[in-house]
Amino acid sequence: MTQVASTTTPVAAWRAMALGWVIGTALQLQQASLSPWTDLALTAACCLAWAVVALWWESRASPSSATSAGPSGRVAGFPRGVWRVWTAWIWRLLLGAALAWCVVGLRASWTLSERLPAALEGQDLDVVGVVAAMPQRSESGLRFRVEVSSATLRGRAVQLPPQIYLAWYGGSASAIDGLNAQQAVPPVQAGERWQWRVRLKAPHGHMNPGGFDYELWLWEQGLQATGYVRTGAHDPAPVRLAQTASHPVEWLRQSVRDAILARFAFDHSAATSPSAVEAIEGPRRAKLAGIVAALVVGDQNAIDRSDWDVFRATGVAHLMSISGLHVTLFAWFASAVLGALWRRTALWGWRWCLLWPAPHVAAVGGLLLAGAYALFSGWGVPAQRTVWMLAALVLLRLSGRTWPWPWIWFGVLAVVVVVDPWALFQAGFWLSFVAVGVLFAAGPAAMAPPALPAQPNDAEHRQVLADAELEKPDRSSLVRFNARFRAQRQTMHQFRGWLGRWNGLRDLVREQWVVTWALTPLSILFFGQISVVGLVANLLAIPWVTLVVTPLAMAGVVWSPLWSMAVWALSPLQWLLGWMAALPWASAHVALPPLELGLLALLGGGLMAMRWPWLVRCLGLALWLPALAWQPPRPAKGHFEILAPDLGQGNAVLVRTAHHSLLYDAGPRYSVESDAGHRVVVPLLRRLDLSLDRLVLSHRDSDHTGGAAAVLALQPGLPLLSSLELEHPLLRARTAANGLAQRCEAGQSWQWDGVRFEVLHPLAQDYLPGARSNSLSCVLRIGNGVQTALLVGDIEATQEAALLARTVAQSGSLRANGLHADLLLVPHHGSKTSSTAAFIDAVSPRWAWVQAGYRNRFGHPAAEVVARYRARGIAVVDSVHCGAMQWHSAQSARTQCERALSRRYWHHDAP
């Protein structure tokens, strides 16, 4: 009888521990708050003690006791040996999960302890620090990471987080805290030590359903405070103190990136020596240079936002930064060069090959250079995954062992999770590992290569010659035979070459087919988008970018003219991708499904990618349908729902009925290149799979209209109701295009699905030359006869009084008026110039919503205004503490806060 080991092997033990570690990490990341660090440390100590006792007990177990085959040799119906193996697996799994829970919790507790003290928020601090990463330049200035050396507040030393994230506004920057930064921002280099006066705040981002978690991103980067450099008339000027030796990799990355961008942004040789690259128009050439910079140093911010839209629509976004494919190609090339050079050392009189075999040198050297390349490119998750996987393969090769691919795949996944636990929340983590895992699982390893026609070899040739000798042919016959033999052999070599090229093309198509089927469910789950042209686009882009553009871009670090060739090579591909993205059916947007439906679709994609019978694959396609067909629940007929997204200092409110949707305002403009439309509103509409029926812009202020252009670009035929002046760009373009723009005036009304919409303000005579924009805010009342919501824009005390006066004139009393509402969007974000006592009493809402930015420069909402509402028993809810706010007319007694629903321990608790 074969003996069964009483314990698992060391490799199996580590597999169980690794699986437990990943599970424990995932569970810890779901916590809304952390346990005290003392409890975590005590639990970790208990786990380690448990492990020691368990290992000691296993070492004392008799191996012979595991081999009993009789009734007495069974435990719970299983052979004793099998039982011991399973119990060893289980306790190691639980140990790994418990240790991960404690270790990740302790790491998080340490990070939380470094957060910016609330007392230092909004204070003018004098900070000395080193620029820790290459700055990101935009039209409004610079953003960069700083390692803090020292900080003082009015001459007194204070403790700041180790790293902070600063913005330095200049040039076209807008006013900040009343101080307009007019001077241009000087060059800032990674590794430089500077002294600034800064104003900081705790990490605080927008919190919307399915939206980007900015606070998680800051947490992963180790940034526990954000702020900006003060450059006002009464602030000391920033001082560059020294160039340090810190962060040499970041310094090198920035130098290369700036060299690429400067070459094409400021190339003055076009007038004297025009070339193919110079023929490309300037703006487009600069955009292509940004793509080249992203391919070389991994700076994704160098790529223009419009280009990212094209890459996402065509499914090639993974190629336009450092991906695992690029790192693998670099490792292969470096390994080949090192191996060739090492083999030739004997020709130079050195016997290095006798000391260390060339294949080992090539493998280790290729791995080290690939790691350096990944580090140079920013050390993203795809690059990490590739480097660790290459390291596992090299170690196995050096040790002469082979592991099944699942061991390698999961081992690398566990290593990445140990190094960066919060990578589990990154879409790139799952896209990268699922793609590689499916390619492994669906690979052709078990399939034998196709048989080739028999080819004459030298033995056959000699036999034929012998037979010919027996037949005693003449010499000319032998010459003709040899010629035919050589021609036949050459034909067979050509056939094998054609077949190899065909097989390579077939494998490329199949691999892209497999990855497309496997990653489409993840694309739905993370982005709510499917690229219909992605398969064709990737078949064209992958070989071109990987084998042509990227090598040229990387070689340009050594010889800069090759960057021009890389830009020239990118130009036709970019044009082709742009044409494909412009097709009406290039991409499809679907509602963001629940997690369980997304996982079901992922299982279906895996089945579709396998080399299994088509009947099984069709089952996988059926598993896709629930995720594709899912739609967010809408209000019943006669009811309505209001969602106010978290977008900072501005207004945008989404109103939904059973079959219609309206957007009241479109949020603020954040900077020259960023607005709430692109960052919040349009992604939200796509996640909900909503098509708007009307856009209402209350007035022209940029904190209400800043995102309107993005919304109108998403739906060109969308009717627009606003108080904008005729010469406003949005209104003029709308009127010229299709005449769908309309001026809002009191008395306008319509009804959708049993819900009535009515405009209460402004009157037609209020549109006077020079009228203030706030006074013309469109006031919209929404009701179903039972519940009512009132959206008032930025009206002030004068307009509130006018509304009350008109109501009294129409109904004879305030009690019978139509101003009462269950939900009120607080006028002017809670400004002191609005929300008079008489207006609040007339509306008498249950809920008062405030959309305002965290620590905004206007001080909204004003404390006395909030107190005025609360003194009347009205619940005041603001986006700073609530995130996105949601209210349903069928459940009018509660407001749903996104911050409460999605609460995690790294999220900021605003005071």
Side-chain angles (χ1 to χ4, degrees):
M1 179 179 297
T2 304
Q3 187 177 12
V4 180
S6 63
T7 59
T8 54
T9 64
V11 174
W14 281 112
R15 291 206 305 271
M17 288 279 291
L19 178 59
W21 190 281
V22 174
I23 294 174
T25 301
L27 292 176
Q28 180 63 274
L29 298 188
Q30 303 302 318
Q31 302 307 302
S33 60
L34 288 172
S35 303
W37 72 268
T38 52
D39 294 350
L40 294 170
L42 180 61
T43 305
C46 292
C47 290
L48 293 176
W50 172 31
V52 172
V53 172
L55 290 174
W56 173 79
W57 182 263
E58 282 189 354
S59 67
R60 287 176 56 87
S62 173
S64 61
S65 64
T67 62
S68 176
S72 61
R74 304 181 72 86
V75 179
F78 295 96
R80 187 181 299 272
V82 175
W83 176 260
R84 294 179 67 87
V85 169
W86 276 104
T87 54
W89 254 85
I90 291 172
W91 80 256
R92 285 176 168 85
L93 180 73
L94 295 177
L95 175 64
L99 283 176
W101 175 283
C102 298
V103 171
V104 175
L106 287 172
R107 288 179 60 180
S109 297
W110 180 266
T111 305
L112 280 177
S113 68
E114 296 176 338
R115 276 204 163 168
L116 179 72
L120 296 181
E121 288 192 90
Q123 301 288 339
D124 290 340
L125 305 171
D126 293 313
V127 173
V128 175
V130 177
V131 180
M134 60 178 181
Q136 303 295 330
R137 181 173 289 277
S138 64
E139 294 186 22
S140 58
L142 287 179
R143 289 187 179 273
F144 49 93
R145 187 182 309 172
V146 175
E147 278 187 358
V148 177
S149 302
S150 63
T152 58
L153 173 62
R154 293 186 288 274
R156 177 174 55 88
V158 294
Q159 186 68 33
L160 294 184
Q163 292 197 38
I164 60 178
Y165 195 46
L166 288 182
W168 190 344
Y169 298 101
S172 60
S174 59
I176 301 170
D177 284 291
L179 303 174
N180 193 14
Q182 298 292 341
Q183 68 270 27
V185 178
V188 177
Q189 193 81 15
E192 290 181 342
R193 186 183 303 277
W194 282 77
Q195 180 175 346
W196 306 274
R197 173 158 291 179
V198 303
R199 186 170 288 181
L200 301 178
K201 63 180 180 179
H204 191 94
H206 303 151
M207 191 66 64
N208 293 294
F212 175 69
D213 194 341
Y214 178 64
E215 295 176 35
L216 174 61
W217 181 84
L218 291 172
W219 176 279
E220 288 185 295
Q221 303 299 315
L223 303 170
Q224 294 299 312
T226 63
Y228 61 92
V229 177
R230 302 271 296 176
T231 55
H234 302 290
D235 297 308
V239 179
R240 180 185 181 276
L241 300 177
Q243 173 70 54
T244 70
S246 302
H247 310 288
V249 175
E250 289 296 323
W251 177 86
L252 181 60
R253 293 180 67 205
Q254 181 181 354
S255 300
V256 172
R257 182 201 63 181
D258 292 349
I260 295 173
L261 298 180
R263 178 178 179 84
F264 298 99
F266 307 101
D267 192 349
H268 301 292
S269 62
T272 57
S273 57
S275 63
V277 172
E278 301 299 340
I280 304 174
E281 59 272 20
R284 185 172 174 223
R285 182 180 58 194
K287 291 167 65 176
L288 293 174
I291 300 174
V292 172
L295 291 172
V296 176
V297 300
D299 182 12
Q300 298 186 12
N301 291 311
I303 300 179
D304 190 78
R305 184 176 64 187
S306 60
D307 287 333
W308 276 124
D309 293 337
V310 170
F311 299 151
R312 292 190 185 100
T314 54
V316 301
H318 63 100
L319 286 175
M320 300 307 168
S321 58
I322 305 301
S323 67
L325 183 61
H326 298 153
V327 177
T328 304
L329 178 67
F330 184 86
W332 172 84
F333 177 76
S335 179
V337 172
L338 287 175
L341 292 176
W342 196 262
R343 291 184 184 93
R344 282 162 176 75
T345 56
L347 300 178
W348 304 330
W350 300 324
R351 297 186 177 183
W352 292 353
C353 285
L354 299 178
L355 301 176
W356 202 4
H360 290 186
V361 173
V364 174
L367 173 63
L368 294 177
L369 290 177
Y373 174 48
L375 188 64
F376 177 76
S377 65
W379 198 242
V381 170
Q384 291 182 48
R385 183 259 306 160
T386 304
V387 170
W388 294 123
M389 196 162 288
L390 289 173
L393 294 174
V394 169
L395 290 175
L396 289 173
R397 181 174 182 179
L398 294 179
S399 62
R401 299 178 181 178
T402 58
W403 279 3
W405 71 264
W407 294 15
I408 300 175
W409 178 84
F410 186 76
V412 172
L413 184 147
V415 168
V416 174
V417 172
V418 169
V419 175
D420 182 10
W422 299 276
L424 287 172
F425 278 105
Q426 294 184 22
F429 175 89
W430 296 105
L431 292 171
S432 177
F433 277 101
V434 169
V436 173
V438 170
L439 285 175
F440 271 133
M447 299 182 62
L452 294 176
Q455 176 181 339
N457 53 33
D458 292 339
E460 294 172 346
H461 189 199
R462 287 193 297 270
Q463 182 63 41
V464 172
L465 288 178
D467 294 340
E469 181 65 24
L470 292 175
E471 295 176 4
K472 296 189 181 296
D474 56 12
R475 183 176 181 83
S476 61
S477 298
L478 290 176
V479 171
R480 288 194 299 272
F481 174 81
N482 282 323
R484 287 197 303 271
F485 179 82
R486 286 193 296 270
Q488 181 184 14
R489 194 166 189 173
Q490 183 178 3
T491 302
M492 292 308 303
H493 280 303
Q494 292 176 351
F495 176 76
R496 290 174 66 91
W498 295 334
L499 185 60
R501 285 189 289 271
W502 166 252
N503 288 339
L505 178 61
R506 182 193 62 186
D507 291 342
L508 176 63
V509 172
R510 189 182 184 285
E511 287 177 2
Q512 189 55 45
W513 170 267
V514 166
V515 170
T516 299
W517 277 107
L519 296 189
T520 297
L522 285 178
S523 180
I524 296 173
L525 188 60
F526 287 122
F527 313 116
Q529 181 179 9
I530 302 174
S531 177
V532 180
V533 299
L535 178 62
V536 176
N538 275 279
L539 286 175
L540 297 174
I542 286 177
W544 189 251
V545 172
T546 304
L547 302 177
V548 178
V549 178
T550 301
L552 288 173
M554 291 300 300
V557 177
V558 179
W559 191 46
S560 59
L562 292 177
W563 285 331
S564 299
M565 297 183 64
V567 168
W568 178 83
L570 262 177
S571 181
L573 178 64
Q574 180 69 354
W575 176 87
L576 179 61
L577 293 176
W579 175 80
M580 297 176 73
L583 296 173
W585 43 268
S587 62
H589 294 272
V590 298
L592 204 65
L595 178 61
E596 55 271 18
L597 295 184
L599 295 178
L600 193 66
L602 181 61
L603 175 61
L607 291 177
M608 287 295 299
M610 295 297 103
R611 295 176 179 268
W612 291 347
W614 277 104
L615 183 62
V616 179
R617 299 191 190 186
C618 290
L619 174 62
L621 183 61
L623 295 178
W624 274 31
L625 298 180
L628 293 175
W630 185 83
Q631 286 291 320
R634 298 195 68 124
K637 186 175 177 63
H639 284 283
F640 61 100
E641 179 187 73
I642 295 182
L643 172 62
D646 185 8
L647 38 70
Q649 185 66 24
N651 277 152
V653 178
L654 180 63
V655 183
R656 295 197 301 166
T657 65
H659 303 291
H660 294 80
S661 301
L662 174 145
L663 182 65
Y664 180 88
D665 284 339
R669 173 173 290 278
Y670 303 123
S671 63
V672 178
E673 65 276 355
S674 177
D675 59 72
H678 278 105
R679 286 176 51 180
V680 179
V681 178
V682 169
L684 178 64
L685 294 175
R686 286 176 170 169
R687 283 192 294 271
L688 297 175
D689 194 24
L690 278 184
S691 177
L692 295 175
D693 296 284
R694 181 165 295 176
L695 171 64
V696 178
L697 297 178
S698 62
H699 60 297
R700 68 171 179 262
D701 287 0
S702 63
D703 59 335
H704 296 253
T705 63
V711 175
L712 294 175
L714 178 68
Q715 289 187 235
L718 181 63
L720 173 62
L721 181 66
S722 73
S723 63
L724 303 179
E725 62 274 15
L726 293 177
E727 61 272 14
H728 194 280
L730 287 173
L731 189 60
R732 184 172 61 248
R734 208 75 190 138
T735 304
N738 42 36
L740 291 175
Q742 186 179 5
R743 191 169 75 175
C744 68
E745 295 180 2
Q748 296 170 328
S749 65
W750 65 93
Q751 187 163 315
W752 288 339
D753 309 317
V755 178
R756 181 176 176 80
F757 296 76
E758 184 178 1
V759 178
L760 304 183
H761 182 80
L763 300 174
Q765 55 267 31
D766 291 334
Y767 287 94
L768 299 174
R772 296 184 61 207
S773 60
N774 286 353
S775 67
L776 297 177
S777 293
C778 299
V779 177
L780 183 65
R781 181 175 61 196
I782 308 163
N784 60 359
V786 181
Q787 286 82 27
T788 306
L790 192 62
L791 310 180
V792 297
D794 281 357
I795 63 171
E796 298 180 342
T798 303
Q799 291 75 48
E800 293 176 358
L803 279 172
L804 295 178
R806 287 200 297 270
T807 301
V808 172
Q810 293 171 2
S811 60
S813 70
L814 283 176
R815 292 296 179 186
N817 75 79
L819 283 183
H820 169 71
D822 298 273
L823 172 65
L824 170 67
L825 183 66
V826 172
H828 202 179
H829 318 285
S831 168
K832 298 177 182 179
T833 60
S834 305
S835 296
T836 60
F839 180 76
I840 297 175
D841 291 336
V843 178
S844 186
R846 171 179 289 187
W847 298 99
W849 282 6
V850 181
Q851 283 186 297
Y854 178 62
R855 299 192 63 85
N856 63 85
R857 67 179 184 269
F858 307 105
H860 294 161
E864 55 264 41
V865 172
V866 174
R868 200 176 299 153
Y869 280 96
R870 289 177 175 166
R872 292 162 172 78
I874 300 170
V876 180
V877 182
D878 63 81
S879 55
V880 170
H881 295 88
C882 184
M885 301 171 285
Q886 194 166 0
W887 179 87
H888 200 295
S889 63
Q891 298 174 330
S892 60
R894 72 185 186 99
T895 289
Q896 182 174 288
C897 290
E898 185 62 27
R899 278 196 176 269
L901 292 176
S902 305
R903 172 70 184 165
R904 296 293 185 272
Y905 56 77
W906 55 80
H907 289 150
H908 175 233
D909 288 321

